[in-house]
Each structure stands twice: as structure tokens, then as C-alpha cells.
Amino acid sequence: MNKISDNANRIMVIGGAGYIGSHVVKHLVKSGSDLVVFDNFSSGHRDNIVPGVEIIEGDILNEAELDNAMSKKIDAVIHLAAFKDAGESMEEPSKYAINNITGSLNILKQMSKHNVKYIVFSSSAAVYGYPEYLPVDENHPLKPENYYGYTKLVIEQNIEWFSRLGDIHFANLRYFNAAGYDVEGVIRHKESNPGNLIPIVFEVAAGIREKVIVFGNDYDTKDGTGVRDYIHVDDLADAHLKSLDFILKDNSTTLNLGTGEGYSVLEVIRMVEELTGKTIAVDIAPRRRGDCAELIAKSLCADEILGWKPKYSTLKQIIESMTCVYI
Ligand code: WQD
């Protein structure tokens, strides 16, 4: 596999021990890139990181640790470190402001100090809030409905400003619903105490959890339950490498990463039952605060600009990639 680009000697993956970060690291290693992982292991795990990768344990809130790590001739940063629980962000906004926003500003400060001019940033569809039209394209109004989504928007806007003022090139990547596990089965770490639907359904299938609480079946959707655009983590990782290659040619962009297909909560549950042979117990509960009925991406830009197309993101592929970890 050839390197990402002749411009990039050394890439720092901040949050590289996490769910998405570890898949980005694995894809970078396969591409022959020279990289270092910077992580505080608050939620990520060392055993998520493929062997042979340099690891620096550090916190984005510790400027000295960031300064020291970035003084080792870094050419580009991929920043995936964040607290990401939308519900928790509404209960503890300061925790999210400090970690996500201040931490990101620390990264931008050290990038300026060490003349690092390229950043790929892990943003989220949560920056859009309730969709005013579907599918959601990159021009959709930016009205986050939870504080987590607000932190992602603020960071995107700061990256844009630092780009204008300091000649930084960036890719802000707005993930829709990340799901699935490593299609090669190398990274086999399942989340502990997941907050998202699909790992919760698998915990029921695996007998770890008694039932799935379905938050509302009275939405104006195909079967009354919430519809989301699930994107496989390997497809997300591929988009990060293509984005890096794009910005290393001194470009910048903001892109949706999704499939354009939506699946309901009940469709997800049925697919897990079909592929695992397990029966999933369900309780219908009232809608969850902050949830929208349907959120589906228009991500044609990522195809046009990066030549990126999802390869692993049908619901069946996503569920199959998780079955071997749980069952
Ligand atoms: C999906 C659907 C729920 C759990 C969140 C964040 C978003 C992003 C992805 C980081 C919804 C329903 C869920 C359950 C349920 N995070 N559900 N019972 O809320 O679309 O997005 O994760 O970038 O910012 O908001 O994902 O998996 O929580 O929910 O019925 O126990 O499943 O109502 O319709 P969500 P989710």
C-alpha cells in the first residue's frame, strides 16, 4: 500500500484509541503512513490500537503534553478526541465545553506553534439539529439541539477561523450514525455501557441486557420508530484517509458522511434477530428528549470531492460485522 501522500511524513491521531479513532489508525497503518497516537485512555483502550504504532499517553487539556507530542515533527493531525454522549451533554454542559471546545482550542494553539498546517476533524450530524428537509446536505441550517452538537459546531467554526488566519487546511467531517465493527475482525473491542441503539440491541442478543427500550413508536416514519442513517466505521475511516490526501494538497472542506439510506429502530432490531437467531425483548417508552424522527444524509459531496463511497454500510453488513464480537 502506498503512503497517503508525499506531503505527509508524520500524522498524529488524537483519540486514536477510541471506537472510530482505532479504525482510522488501522487504515493509516495499512496505507504505510508514519503515525503516532495521542490519547488519554479515558474511554479508548490500548488493545484497540493495532500493534507497532507509537503511543503517547496525554490529555488535550494538558498543553505541555500536547506541546511535547507535537514537537516531534508532526505534519498533520486527525482529531477525534471528544465526549460524545448527547444526553449527558445536556446535563453537564461545562464538562463538554471544557473537554471538547477548550481541548480543541489547545490543539489549534499547538498546531500554530509547531507549524502544523493540516487537520481532519471528527464532527457530527448533530450540528444540524432537527432536519428542516431531508436528506440533509451540507447547506442545511446549523441549529444543534444538544450541547454536544453545539460543541462540534463551535470547533468547526474555530477551525475555519484558524484556517483563515493561519493558513491551516482542514476537513470537517460530519458523521451521521457511526456503527459496526472492523470488517476484518482485528479490532474486536465492544463498547462498555453503550448509549447507542445498535450495541444496545446486541447486548440484549448476547444476554448482557434484558431488553431494548424503544424511545417512541409514534413518529411520522415508516413504522413509527426513529429512522437513522447508519455508516460503518470502516467507511468512516476510509473517508478520513481520503480527506487527509485532499487537504494535503492545500484544500479545505466540510462534508457529510452517511449513506443516504435510513433504517428504523424496529428494522435494526429485526435484522439483529434475523442474523443472530436471537429474540430481542422490547419495551415501548415515550420519545427521548432531543430526538428527531428521521435523520438521513445527502453525502454526494464526499463522493464528488473525495471519490468516497460507502462499501460496508448496508444494515446487513453493519449487523454482520458486529455479530461475531457479541455472539
Ligand atoms: C438511534 C435511534 C433513538 C437507544 C447519537 C448522538 C449523535 C451521534 C450518534 C456522536 C433513535 C433510538 C436509541 C435506545 C432507542 N453521536 N434508540 N432505544 O441519538 O441518533 O445519535 O449518536 O456523534 O450526536 O445524538 O443515536 O443510537 O442513540 O439512537 O429507541 O436504547 O435509536 O430514539 O431513534 P442518535 P442513538
Side-chain angles (χ1 to χ4, degrees):
M1 303 282 283
N2 62 348
K3 279 177 63 175
I4 287 284
S5 163
D6 295 339
N7 300 3
N9 293 321
R10 195 158 158 74
I11 302 155
M12 176 184 280
V13 185
I14 301 176
Y19 169 50
I20 296 168
S22 57
H23 288 81
V24 170
V25 166
K26 179 167 176 275
H27 283 240
L28 283 169
V29 168
K30 282 184 75 170
S31 75
S33 300
D34 177 13
L35 63 138
V36 56
V37 167
F38 184 91
D39 203 300
N40 67 358
F41 298 104
S42 62
S43 59
H45 297 268
R46 284 180 189 276
D47 57 12
N48 282 342
I49 301 171
V50 293
V53 174
E54 181 188 353
I55 297 172
I56 299 176
E57 183 166 358
D59 197 308
I60 58 176
L61 294 180
N62 185 317
E63 290 196 54
E65 289 175 347
L66 263 180
D67 188 352
N68 178 50
M70 231 176 269
S71 62
K72 299 172 189 283
K73 186 64 192 88
I74 297 297
D75 296 283
V77 163
I78 301 180
H79 171 25
L80 305 109
F83 293 150
K84 69 175 181 82
D85 185 322
E88 183 188 52
S89 77
M90 301 296 274
E91 307 302 325
E92 299 184 65
S94 297
K95 174 180 174 181
Y96 279 69
I98 292 163
N99 187 68
N100 292 5
I101 298 174
T102 305
S104 297
L105 293 175
N106 289 342
I107 291 169
L108 289 168
K109 178 180 176 182
Q110 293 306 323
M111 284 178 65
S112 303
K113 177 178 178 181
H114 295 284
N115 199 29
V116 179
K117 294 197 169 301
Y118 305 97
I119 180 168
V120 177
F121 171 59
S122 162
S123 189
S124 167
V127 301
Y128 294 117
Y130 295 128
E132 294 176 13
Y133 56 81
L134 288 171
V136 170
D137 61 17
E138 287 85 354
N139 299 315
H140 185 284
L142 301 169
K143 299 176 183 171
E145 281 298 324
N146 55 62
Y147 194 77
Y148 159 79
Y150 170 72
T151 68
K152 290 295 186 178
L153 180 56
V154 166
I155 298 162
E156 280 192 15
Q157 292 169 343
N158 271 279
I159 289 171
E160 287 165 15
W161 264 105
F162 274 70
S163 173
R164 283 171 61 177
L165 301 175
D167 187 27
I168 284 178
H169 302 279
F170 65 87
N172 287 328
L173 303 180
R174 294 172 179 168
Y175 309 164
F176 279 66
N177 285 60
Y181 290 134
D182 177 13
V183 292
E184 293 180 338
V186 170
I187 302 172
R188 294 178 58 81
H189 188 85
K190 55 178 178 274
E191 288 176 88
S192 49
N193 192 24
N196 294 121
L197 176 69
I198 300 182
I200 285 172
V201 175
F202 265 103
E203 286 198 343
V204 176
I208 301 169
R209 189 186 288 246
E210 184 197 348
K211 58 190 169 185
V212 178
I213 310 296
V214 175
F215 296 130
N217 65 349
D218 57 351
Y219 286 106
D220 182 17
T221 61
K222 58 182 95 169
D223 60 18
T225 62
V227 172
R228 295 292 183 273
D229 185 334
Y230 296 100
I231 182 77
H232 194 284
V233 65
D234 276 312
D235 281 325
L236 286 177
D238 181 43
H240 285 69
L241 271 67
K242 288 183 165 67
S243 297
L244 191 56
D245 210 21
F246 178 74
I247 66 173
L248 285 169
K249 298 178 180 105
D250 290 352
N251 303 302
S252 290
T253 188
T254 296
L255 296 170
N256 285 347
L257 296 179
T259 68
E261 293 291 326
Y263 296 104
S264 75
V265 174
L266 292 180
E267 284 176 321
V268 168
I269 292 169
R270 278 193 212 103
M271 182 67 78
V272 174
E273 288 186 322
E274 184 184 321
L275 295 178
T276 62
K278 305 287 185 180
T279 300
I280 306 293
V282 164
D283 259 1
I284 304 293
R287 298 178 179 186
R288 180 174 64 176
R289 187 175 71 144
D291 274 355
C292 64
E294 199 154 348
L295 190 61
I296 294 176
K298 186 170 196 176
S299 54
L300 298 180
C301 289
D303 185 1
E304 287 159 13
I305 291 176
L306 305 178
W308 174 82
K309 286 188 189 333
K311 298 195 289 275
Y312 308 109
S313 293
T314 64
L315 185 61
K316 186 169 185 288
Q317 288 171 303
I318 288 171
I319 302 301
E320 281 173 342
S321 75
M322 299 176 75
T323 299
C324 56
V325 174
Y326 282 93
I327 308 297

